[in-house]
């Protein structure tokens, strides 16, 4: 497991990206999906995930749907229209960030 | 192994014990814990329900559910203000704008009469007393609901109680301000009277909207906010 701190600032982007590819997801599903995609390298903590989801919802980027699953209520999140636009922006920002970091950390590689 | 109905109930009680008081926040956490417990049982089938639950809760970190509740509260505050502004805006469209103007004009004229500050203090005192009584009633109702273990949604609680803290504070502050400075409104520059009248008119509208309009529309607003509201209240 790498340094979780390094991932911290990217949590929102990760959530948005996942919802872009998966249409609608619930909280637990998101944590599991991230674990699966990163082969356990990144574990989103529950204490960070839900506040992030609620913030995105407050900003109007996410919409919620509730369904009764078995004997409990499940809350699904999906992107709103402005959420889809914001996802594209955030992903561009992320690419930019990765390029910049690459130049800083490994200048030779970026010269190629 | 799937969780039973009783164990789900236990989880609701567990969130309550950890300072999550509102049903909408509780149910999301319960679903999360339930999923995680079932997952934990796959790997460690010998754990009891309580052991698996505590293991899952630990993942939330030292602050437990606090961060989740805090962010949810912020989100709902935003929503509440949006609702408040939505209804307040109506007062600046025809036909209500006429009434708004009348309120403004009455303040504007009253403030220019001599000793208007005493009239003003009296009015505020009446409003503060009214607010205190109303607030007391609501808190009492709330306690009854809590005792009955009724499912209360976060926004539901806010529609009922937030208004009192906002408008109540505003009134008490105004009262102190006027009382301490003994402001003589009638000798003030007319521009100040103009500005004060605008502020007072706005306060009146906010008071009316948060105390009468929003509580009346509560059911509608809650259904709009919570897709699960209907399912839950019909359970």
């Amino acid at each position: 497991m790498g340094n979780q701190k390094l991932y911290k600032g990217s949590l929102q982007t990760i959530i948005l990206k996942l919802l872009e590819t998966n249409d609608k997801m619930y909280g637990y599903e998101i944590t599991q999906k991230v674990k699966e995609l990163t082969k356990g390298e990144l574990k989103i903590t529950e204490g960070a995930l839900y506040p992030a989801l609620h913030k995105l919802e407050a900003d109007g980027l996410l919409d919620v749907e509730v369904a009764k699953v078995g004997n409990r209520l499940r809350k699904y999140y999906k992107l709103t229209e402005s959420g889809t636009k914001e996802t594209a922006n955030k992903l561009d920002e992320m690419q930019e960030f990765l390029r910049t970091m690459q130049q800083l950390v490994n200048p030779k590689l970026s010269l190629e | 192994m799937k969780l039973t109905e009783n164990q789900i109930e236990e989880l609701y009680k567990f969130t309550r014990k950890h300072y999550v008081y509102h049903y909408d926040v509780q149910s999301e956490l319960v679903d999360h814990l339930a999923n995680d417990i079932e997952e934990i049982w796959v790997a460690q089938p010998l754990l009891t329900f309580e052991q698996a639950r505590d293991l899952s809760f630990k993942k939330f970190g030292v602050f437990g559910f606090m961060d989740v509740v805090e962010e949810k509260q912020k989100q709902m505050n935003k929503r509440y203000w949006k609702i408040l502004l939505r209804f307040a805006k109506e007062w600046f469209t025809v036909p209500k704008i006429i009434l708004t103007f009348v309120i403004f004009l009455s303040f504007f004229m009253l403030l220019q009469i001599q000793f208007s500050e005493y009239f003003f203090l009296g009015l505020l005192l009446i409003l503060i007393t009214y607010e205190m009584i109303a607030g007391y009633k609501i808190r009492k109702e709330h306690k009854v609901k809590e005792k009955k273990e009724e499912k209360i949604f976060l926004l539901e609680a806010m529609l009922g109680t937030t208004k009192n803290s906002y408008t109540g504070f505003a009134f008490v502050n105004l009262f102190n301000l006027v009382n301490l400075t003994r402001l003589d409104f009638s000798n003030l520059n007319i521009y100040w009277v103009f500005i004060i009248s605008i502020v007072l008119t706005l306060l009146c509208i906010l008071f009316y909207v948060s105390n009468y309009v929003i509580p009346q529309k509560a059911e509608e607003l809650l259904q709009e906010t919570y897709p699960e509201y209907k399912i839950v209240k019909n359970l």
Side-chain angles (χ1 to χ4, degrees):
Chain A
M1 200 165 71
N3 191 341
Q4 299 287 328
K5 261 191 196 161
L6 291 176
Y7 293 108
K8 219 175 169 186
S10 314
L11 184 55
Q12 289 197 358
T13 313
I14 295 169
I15 293 172
L16 290 173
K17 174 69 192 164
L18 280 176
L19 287 170
E20 190 190 37
T21 31
N22 293 289
D23 194 29
K24 64 175 185 181
M25 295 177 95
Y26 54 97
Y28 190 72
E29 193 183 4
I30 293 176
T31 59
Q32 294 307 96
K33 194 83 194 173
V34 169
K35 222 196 280 179
E36 181 196 318
L37 287 173
T38 64
K39 299 191 180 65
E41 162 73 9
L42 172 60
K43 282 186 190 135
I44 296 185
T45 56
E46 317 12 48
L49 173 71
Y50 287 101
L53 283 171
H54 297 156
K55 181 151 186 3
L56 289 169
E57 194 191 341
D59 293 343
L61 302 180
L62 300 184
D63 212 357
V64 290
E65 234 173 64
V66 176
K68 206 157 188 267
V69 179
N71 47 15
R72 51 201 197 232
L73 290 171
R74 182 160 292 164
K75 197 169 166 190
Y76 289 97
Y77 292 89
K78 58 181 182 188
L79 291 178
T80 61
E81 223 168 275
S82 61
T84 313
K85 274 182 214 150
E86 186 59 26
T87 308
N89 286 341
K90 289 244 183 206
L91 286 174
D92 284 347
E93 272 171 28
M94 179 58 81
Q95 289 298 347
E96 188 64 45
F97 169 75
L98 290 175
R99 263 197 303 276
T100 313
M101 282 315 277
Q102 189 65 256
Q103 281 168 359
L104 283 172
V105 178
N106 207 344
K108 269 185 207 155
L109 205 78
S110 61
L111 281 176
E112 284 174 356
Chain B
M1 196 160 61
K2 288 268 169 202
L3 289 186
T4 64
E5 196 82 40
N6 274 343
Q7 286 167 330
I8 295 287
E9 253 342 284
E10 278 303 308
L11 286 180
Y12 271 105
K13 278 188 197 145
F14 182 76
T15 55
R16 209 184 166 73
K17 223 171 75 190
H18 288 87
Y19 315 108
V20 185
Y21 297 112
H22 299 106
Y23 190 72
D24 47 328
V25 195
Q26 285 173 349
S27 51
E28 185 168 41
L29 291 170
V30 166
D31 185 45
H32 181 98
L33 290 172
N35 283 321
D36 203 33
I37 290 170
E38 285 167 3
E39 194 68 34
I40 289 171
W41 272 341
V42 174
Q44 299 157 276
L46 293 176
L47 290 183
T48 65
F49 168 70
E50 283 78 14
Q51 283 170 328
R53 179 197 66 194
D54 292 341
L55 209 60
S56 181
F57 179 59
K58 256 197 199 138
K59 294 182 190 167
F60 277 84
V62 276
F63 295 114
F65 301 137
M66 299 291 244
D67 290 336
V68 181
V69 173
E70 201 179 302
E71 198 56 52
K72 193 78 200 171
Q73 190 84 47
K74 269 194 218 155
Q75 183 206 343
M76 277 306 153
N77 268 335
K78 251 190 198 172
R79 197 176 272 259
Y80 183 82
W81 273 102
K82 264 191 203 153
I83 293 172
L84 194 62
L85 287 180
R86 189 167 95 201
F87 287 110
K89 261 190 212 153
E90 274 179 24
W91 285 79
F92 296 93
T93 53
V94 190
K96 279 195 181 123
I97 193 157
I98 300 168
L99 202 59
T100 310
F101 189 68
V102 171
I103 298 171
F104 165 76
L105 217 60
S106 338
F107 276 125
F108 189 63
M109 291 194 304
L110 270 173
L111 287 176
Q112 292 179 64
I113 301 170
Q114 237 192 340
F115 301 123
S116 60
E117 61 267 31
Y118 294 102
F119 157 77
F120 193 61
L121 285 177
L123 189 75
L124 278 175
L125 215 65
I126 294 170
L127 283 173
I128 290 170
T129 321
Y130 174 82
E131 276 284 287
M132 275 166 66
I133 296 169
Y136 172 75
K137 266 192 197 155
I138 283 169
R139 272 192 294 276
K140 218 168 137 188
E141 266 173 39
H142 214 77
K143 272 200 184 129
V144 175
K145 267 192 186 175
E146 256 172 33
K147 260 200 192 132
K148 274 200 222 152
E149 289 199 11
E150 235 178 84
K151 292 156 183 157
I152 303 169
F153 286 73
L154 180 55
L155 187 66
E156 190 179 0
M158 286 172 73
L159 294 182
T161 50
T162 317
K163 54 176 200 188
N164 285 295
S165 47
Y166 284 130
T167 44
F169 274 131
F171 288 143
V172 173
N173 279 331
L174 263 181
F175 184 87
N176 282 333
L177 195 74
V178 177
N179 195 22
L180 289 174
T181 53
R182 283 288 151 148
L183 214 56
D184 186 0
F185 290 118
S186 49
N187 282 332
L188 274 180
N189 188 311
I190 196 81
Y191 296 118
W192 279 111
V193 179
F194 185 78
I195 291 170
I196 292 170
S197 304
I198 289 181
V199 172
L200 290 176
T201 311
L202 286 177
L203 265 179
C204 277
I205 292 174
L206 286 183
F207 174 74
Y208 180 76
V209 169
S210 62
N211 280 276
Y212 296 98
V213 182
I214 291 183
Q216 260 174 26
K217 300 236 160 134
E219 200 78 358
E220 211 176 291
L221 290 168
L222 287 167
Q223 280 182 29
E224 178 189 305
T225 308
Y226 298 113
E228 71 268 39
Y229 188 75
K230 264 191 175 162
I231 315 176
V232 173
K233 293 284 170 167
N234 289 336
L235 274 180

